[in-house]
């Protein structure tokens, strides 16, 4: 359709593939060009079905738009149109392949952007078809983008299919509450219900792409688990009450604990997926009643970093493309940060050499120059080797704490790569932030960046990993782990599902079950029904206004796109009323904008700070004892909304967790394919299918966290035991 007439050319030429030369004369609307374009349109429509009235692409179809301008009033093709069988591409993408016009955009997207060829074309001429590999579905974490790219209705959204027409939807701008990128969204609404989420183009952040987690998680907003009325527990039974009764019950419960045991016996936990305004009011409420025990870093184990640290990416997201050397410490990039991984993937096709230190060797779908796969207990030791090797290469004195470390071959290759670059960066990923030696890893990474003259950044785990620090919601008293290790008499939970969101769910549940008073503010009914005394329904991000501060330190405010469901209320309003009932000064806000003004005064950039004031590395431990657990948070278990998105939970990435180990340990435990293995940690157990992955380090078992099947175990890191579960005996009858 982009055929144009070029002077002296014997036939029309495609504008998209014709180089420009000096003096070239191009005619885009001459009779020859228009006739050529109309001819192409006639061929496109020869086999295309006339099913626009039932096609989900109707109203936003590029073929429709072009047919209006270049199509004929009737067809000269009298033969039967071809029919193509539909393909099963998984739970996210619906197919009507008879509509396909073979533009191959979906194939090119997989190869050029997602980094994996999951679709391809077979056949020739009118027998050509787009298919997946035999027995495979499309499982990329960016797969939903092919829906936007498809110019016809061949690939459409399976969760959205036949639910609304595009002209019935109202469109609202919003920001993703999931990963730290802060992807810009267009949320489409019909009759006060979120029907679809699409990317809103922003070249500085998500470009024109969206991860599947951001695109399809909206299903969780309409989950049957939604908490729609305040509930309180009296005489061991739950009952629904109005807001006035519930709020007075909560205020009186907190007053009682404070008066009987002191304010220090009250603790508050939030998730980094809450808005900046909510986190600010929570910490202000707690400090107003005399407690400093408030934290939002629920999956963190080591809080040795100074209070002055406000961890951020260390650079604008858009500048990632300019890097030529990168070291990522502790991250399965494409699952933790899909679109940041995409920027690194595109750079790795050109000048970038990507180096990796991690406990797992998953395929990142990009060229990795060098990698060191190490057990969690050897993380610091491995990074120390790189620091020493870089110091020697730079002719600088190695820090005293790493001077005795012997440099291995993998660390030397990483160091050689980093030293050879001119624009380098060192990034700490989610796994490194959750690590029990996170502060030591931070100090080593900072030292390495200083030696290289490189940028140093921390990949934000969630929407407000940066904003929580700016809001003052990081611990001034007991931190998130201490609040569970040293049980309090009362807890305030904001959006937290402790059985899935905490570093040690076993310890968290024990602390909450012994508490005298627990109030859970959540959009959903969850495990709090077993241990809480009050449940307050708060709105998710689509039902409130607020601000997220992305991993690059960019504050992005948004408004609610639908009215709160039933009796749900925005969390900032609930906290404001609680502040009034508890007679805390400064809770007279009448809008979230007024809260933001107090929560984020001055220049945000001036407050961002990755540097430890005293980057003392400390003793480097060389080896752990026994079998170690490698625990990562699966991509579709990261927060409460995603966990309830039905279609995402049917994907390959949401499959039941398995216990994965290398062949040596697999043999030591006398396991065979298909066996089950019993994992024991901290007095809790989980029985999982056993799997073999020879790329894992020795004496390690990979057991995912944040999943109902593994919630009975202890911390995300540490020693575990494993034993084969005998298969049940078959008895002849």
């Amino acid at each position: 359709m982009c055929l144009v007439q070029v002077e002296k050319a014997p036939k029309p030429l495609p504008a998209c593939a014709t180089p420009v030369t000096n003096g070239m004369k191009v005619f885009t609307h001459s009779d020859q060009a228009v006739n050529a374009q109309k001819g192409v349109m006639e061929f496109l429509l020869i086999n295309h079905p006339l099913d626009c009235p039932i096609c989900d692409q109707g109203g936003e179809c590029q073929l429709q738009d072009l047919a209006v301008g270049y199509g004929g009033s009737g067809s000269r093709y009298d033969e039967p149109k071809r029919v193509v069988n539909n393909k099963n591409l998984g739970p996210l993408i619906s197919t009507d392949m008879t509509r396909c016009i073979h533009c191959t955009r979906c194939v090119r997207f997989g190869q050029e952007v997602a980094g994996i060829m999951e679709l391809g074309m077979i056949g020739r001429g009118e027998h050509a078809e787009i298919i997946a590999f035999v027995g495979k579905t499309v499982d990329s974490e960016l797969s939903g983008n092919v829906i936007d790219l498809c110019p016809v209705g061949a690939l459409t959204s399976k969760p959205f299919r036949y639910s609304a027409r595009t002209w019935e939807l109202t469109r609202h701008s919003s920001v993703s509450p999931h990963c730290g990128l802060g992807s810009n969204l267009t949320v489409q609404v019909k009759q006060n219900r979120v029907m679809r989420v699409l990317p809103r183009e922003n070249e500085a952040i998500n470009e024109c792409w969206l991860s599947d987690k951001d695109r399809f998680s909206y299903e969780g907003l309409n989950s049957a688990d939604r908490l729609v009325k305040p509930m309180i527990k009296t005489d061991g039974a739950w009952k629904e009450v109005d807001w006035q009764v519930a709020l007075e019950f909560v205020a009186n419960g907190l007053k009682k604990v404070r008066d009987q045991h002191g304010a220090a016996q009250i603790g508050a936990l939030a998730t980094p997926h809450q808005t900046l305004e909510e986190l600010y009011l929570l910490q202000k409420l707690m400090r107003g009643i005399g407690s400093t025990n408030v934290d939002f870093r629920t999956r963190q184990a080591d809080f040795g970093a100074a209070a002055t640290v406000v961890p951020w990416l260390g650079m604008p997201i858009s500048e990632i493309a300019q890097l030529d050397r990168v070291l990522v410490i502790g991250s399965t990039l494409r699952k933790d940060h899909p679109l940041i991984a995409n920027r690194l993937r595109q750079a790795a096709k050109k000048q970038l050499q990507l180096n990796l230190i991690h406990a797992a060797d998953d395929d990142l779908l990009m060229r990795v120059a060098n990698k060191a796969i190490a057990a969690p207990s050897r993380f610091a030791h491995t990074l120390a080797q790189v620091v020493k090797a870089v110091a020697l290469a730079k002719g600088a004195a190695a820090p005293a704490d790493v001077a005795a470390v012997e440099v291995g071959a993998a660390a030397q290759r990483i160091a050689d790569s980093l030293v050879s670059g001119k624009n380098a960066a060192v990034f700490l990923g989610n796994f490194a932030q959750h690590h029990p030696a996170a502060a030591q890893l931070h100090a080593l990474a900072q030292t390495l960046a200083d030696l290289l003259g490189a940028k140093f950044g921390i990949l934000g785990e969630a929407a407000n990993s940066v904003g929580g620090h700016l809001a003052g919601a990081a611990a001034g008293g007991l931190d998130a782990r201490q609040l569970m290790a040293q049980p309090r008499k009362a807890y305030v939970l904001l959006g937290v599902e402790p059985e899935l969101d905490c570093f040690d769910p076993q310890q968290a549940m024990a602390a909450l079950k012994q508490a005298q008073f627990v109030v859970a503010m959540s959009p959903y009914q969850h495990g709090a029904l077993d241990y809480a005394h009050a449940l307050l329904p708060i709105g998710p991000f689509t039902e409130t206004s607020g601000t997220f501060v992305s991993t690059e330190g960019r504050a992005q405010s948004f408004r609610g796109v639908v009215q709160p469901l039933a009796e749900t209320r925005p969390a900032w309003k609930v906290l404001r009323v609680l502040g009034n009932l508890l007679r805390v000064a400064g809770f007279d806000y009448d809008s979230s904008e007024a809260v933001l003004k107090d929560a984020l005064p001055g220049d945000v950039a001036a407050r961002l700070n990755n540097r430890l004031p005293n980057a003392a590395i400390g003793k480097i431990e060389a080896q752990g004892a026994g079998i170690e657990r490698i625990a990562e948070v699966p991509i579709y278990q990261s927060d409460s909304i995603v966990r309830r998105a039905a279609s995402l939970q049917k994907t390959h990435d949401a499959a039941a967790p398995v216990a994965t180990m290398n062949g040596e340990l697999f043999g030591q435990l006398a396991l065979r394919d298909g066996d089950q293995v019993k994992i024991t940690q901290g007095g809790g157990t989980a029985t999982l299918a056993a799997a073999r992955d020879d790329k894992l380090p020795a004496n390690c078992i990979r057991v995912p966290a944040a999943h109902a099947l593994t919630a009975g175990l202890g911390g995300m890191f540490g020693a575990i035991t494993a034993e084969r579960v005998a298969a049940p005996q078959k008895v002849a009858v």
Side-chain angles (χ1 to χ4, degrees):
M1 290 304 297
C2 65
L3 291 175
V4 294
Q5 180 184 355
V6 177
E7 187 180 54
K8 298 181 182 178
K11 60 182 180 180
L13 299 177
C16 67
T18 303
V20 175
T21 60
N22 287 332
M24 176 185 282
K25 290 185 178 180
V26 180
F27 304 92
T28 59
H29 289 83
S30 66
D31 289 343
Q32 185 192 55
V34 171
N35 287 334
Q37 292 159 4
K38 286 184 175 180
V40 171
M41 175 54 63
E42 185 172 17
F43 278 114
L44 287 175
L45 294 177
I46 276 178
N47 276 313
H48 196 79
L50 298 176
D51 61 352
C52 298
I54 63 161
C55 177
D56 261 358
Q57 196 82 353
E60 52 187 7
C61 174
Q62 295 178 40
L63 188 64
Q64 272 185 336
D65 296 341
L66 289 170
V68 170
Y70 299 93
S73 59
S75 174
R76 295 183 289 172
Y77 186 75
D78 295 328
E79 287 75 12
K81 291 177 181 281
R82 75 166 194 161
V83 175
V84 181
N85 291 331
N86 290 329
K87 313 298 188 292
N88 177 22
L89 300 185
L92 304 178
I93 302 172
S94 180
T95 61
D96 285 280
M97 300 312 293
T98 302
R99 300 171 184 156
C100 178
I101 61 169
H102 309 135
C103 68
T104 68
R105 287 185 184 180
C106 54
V107 179
R108 288 184 57 202
F109 172 81
Q111 292 176 300
E112 298 175 19
V113 180
I116 180 171
M117 185 176 180
E118 295 182 294
L119 295 171
M121 182 181 285
I122 61 168
R124 299 182 66 185
E126 75 163 10
H127 300 292
E129 294 184 36
I130 298 290
I131 66 166
F133 288 97
V134 176
K136 300 288 187 180
T137 55
V138 175
D139 297 317
S140 165
E141 63 283 350
L142 301 176
S143 67
N145 291 290
V146 300
I147 297 168
D148 300 334
L149 288 170
C150 184
V152 294
L155 303 177
T156 54
S157 169
K158 189 171 282 189
F160 178 70
R161 188 173 175 86
Y162 297 148
S163 60
R165 307 299 302 197
T166 181
W167 54 84
E168 299 174 322
L169 304 173
T170 57
R171 292 157 178 79
H172 305 270
S173 300
S174 192
V175 180
S176 167
H178 304 302
C179 73
L181 187 73
S183 294
N184 287 195
L185 312 177
T186 295
V187 181
Q188 299 187 333
V189 175
K190 178 184 177 183
Q191 296 176 350
N192 203 48
R193 183 183 177 95
V194 175
M195 304 300 292
R196 186 166 61 167
V197 171
L198 298 175
R200 181 160 50 94
E201 189 169 343
N202 188 330
E203 285 296 321
I205 303 176
N206 55 300
E207 300 173 288
C208 59
W209 312 121
L210 208 57
S211 69
D212 288 354
K213 179 161 67 171
D214 293 333
R215 182 185 297 270
F216 296 107
S217 63
Y218 72 88
E219 286 187 294
L221 301 170
N222 306 317
S223 166
D225 287 349
R226 283 295 300 270
L227 180 65
V228 294
K229 291 196 72 174
M231 300 171 67
I232 63 173
K233 186 185 286 185
T234 55
D235 299 325
W238 285 102
K239 68 174 183 179
E240 294 181 345
V241 297
D242 62 33
W243 270 103
Q244 187 66 30
V245 172
L247 290 168
E248 289 178 355
F249 178 82
V250 170
N252 291 334
L254 294 175
K255 285 178 186 175
K256 183 177 179 182
V257 172
R258 180 182 62 181
D259 294 343
Q260 289 181 351
H261 305 285
Q265 280 296 319
I266 304 175
L269 284 177
T271 74
H273 303 281
Q274 303 303 131
T275 68
L276 179 80
E277 292 82 355
E278 293 163 2
L279 293 170
Y280 174 75
L281 288 181
L282 178 66
Q283 63 85 25
K284 186 174 182 178
L285 176 69
M286 293 301 295
R287 288 176 168 82
I289 62 176
S291 174
T292 56
N293 302 327
V294 58
D295 207 349
F296 71 101
R297 301 163 295 176
T298 55
R299 291 197 178 110
Q300 199 162 311
D302 181 9
F303 299 87
T308 56
V309 172
V310 179
W312 69 299
L313 189 62
M315 60 189 296
I317 293 166
S318 58
E319 291 183 9
I320 289 175
Q322 300 166 17
L323 298 173
D324 61 8
R325 301 291 185 274
V326 167
L327 172 61
V328 176
I329 304 157
S331 178
T332 304
L333 278 167
R334 55 182 284 240
K335 303 301 180 185
D336 294 343
H337 311 282
L339 291 177
I340 290 179
N342 178 54
R343 286 186 181 267
L344 290 168
R345 183 180 298 119
Q346 303 313 316
K349 294 177 182 178
K350 302 171 185 175
Q351 79 288 352
L352 176 66
Q353 290 184 15
L354 178 69
N355 302 278
L356 179 70
I357 296 176
H358 197 26
D361 190 11
D362 290 355
D363 187 357
L364 299 183
L365 304 181
M366 68 182 84
R367 187 171 63 238
V368 178
N370 306 285
K371 55 192 171 187
I373 306 303
S377 61
R378 290 188 61 83
F379 248 52
H381 189 267
T382 305
L383 183 53
Q385 294 176 44
V386 178
V387 172
K388 181 178 179 180
V390 168
L392 294 175
K394 290 283 189 178
D401 293 315
V402 306
V405 171
E406 186 175 341
V407 178
Q412 186 63 57
R413 288 194 295 270
I414 292 173
D416 291 343
S417 170
L418 294 173
V419 169
S420 66
K422 296 181 179 179
N423 188 10
V426 179
F427 295 131
L428 287 175
N430 293 2
F431 191 83
Q433 294 167 57
H434 299 158
H435 197 283
Q440 187 176 48
L441 293 173
H442 190 140
L444 284 164
Q446 179 177 314
T447 302
L448 177 61
D450 289 346
L451 286 168
L452 291 166
K455 297 179 176 67
F456 170 49
I458 296 174
L459 297 168
E461 175 186 8
N464 253 335
S465 293
V466 176
H469 287 274
L470 297 174
L478 298 182
D479 57 50
R481 195 171 183 188
Q482 290 171 332
L483 279 172
M484 297 308 175
Q486 304 170 30
R488 304 289 94 185
K489 296 294 183 182
Y491 289 94
V492 178
L493 305 178
L494 177 58
V496 181
E497 298 179 1
E499 63 273 19
L500 300 174
D501 290 332
C502 286
F503 175 84
D504 189 336
Q506 187 184 105
Q507 190 181 69
M509 294 305 293
L512 291 164
K513 287 180 178 179
Q514 64 78 47
Q516 179 179 321
F517 188 73
V518 177
V519 53
M521 290 183 276
S522 173
Y524 303 101
Q525 295 187 41
H526 58 93
L529 288 167
D530 295 332
Y531 54 78
H533 301 86
L535 288 172
L536 304 181
I538 59 172
F541 77 106
T542 51
E543 297 173 22
T544 185
S545 55
T547 304
F548 293 136
V549 183
S550 71
T551 188
E552 67 171 349
R554 183 190 296 259
Q556 299 184 99
S557 295
F558 56 92
R559 294 184 178 275
V561 301
V562 293
Q563 293 297 316
L565 180 65
E567 294 192 31
T568 301
R569 296 291 182 269
W572 72 267
K573 290 187 177 181
V574 176
L575 290 165
R576 179 195 63 187
V577 177
L578 281 176
N580 292 332
L581 291 174
L582 290 166
R583 301 187 183 280
V584 178
F587 272 76
D588 53 353
Y589 302 105
D590 57 5
S591 68
S592 62
E593 289 82 4
V595 181
L596 178 63
K597 189 175 180 180
D598 279 358
L600 209 60
D603 183 16
V604 174
R607 298 172 61 186
L608 303 176
N609 175 30
N610 280 331
R611 296 196 64 81
L612 297 171
N614 177 20
I617 295 170
K619 183 180 178 182
I620 303 294
E621 298 292 341
Q623 185 65 54
I627 300 175
E628 297 181 52
R629 180 181 180 185
I630 298 172
E632 293 178 282
V633 178
I635 183 173
Y636 299 139
Q637 295 292 328
S638 59
D639 62 78
S640 60
I641 298 176
V642 172
R643 288 193 285 261
R644 291 171 174 84
S647 296
L648 290 178
Q649 295 308 315
K650 296 175 185 175
T651 61
H652 177 77
D653 279 324
V658 297
T660 313
M661 64 204 82
N662 68 15
E664 182 182 355
L665 185 55
F666 203 80
Q668 290 176 11
L669 297 174
L671 292 167
R672 297 186 297 270
D673 290 341
D675 277 353
Q676 300 267 307
V677 62
K678 181 181 178 182
I679 306 295
T680 304
Q681 183 187 21
T685 63
T687 301
L688 307 172
R692 177 173 171 171
D693 180 357
D694 289 331
K695 295 184 288 186
L696 288 175
N699 290 320
C700 291
I701 301 182
R702 193 176 187 182
V703 181
H707 196 284
L709 294 179
T710 60
L713 298 175
M716 293 170 66
F717 294 78
I720 58 176
T721 59
E723 60 179 317
R724 177 175 174 266
V725 177
Q729 295 290 326
K730 293 183 178 179
V731 180
V733 178

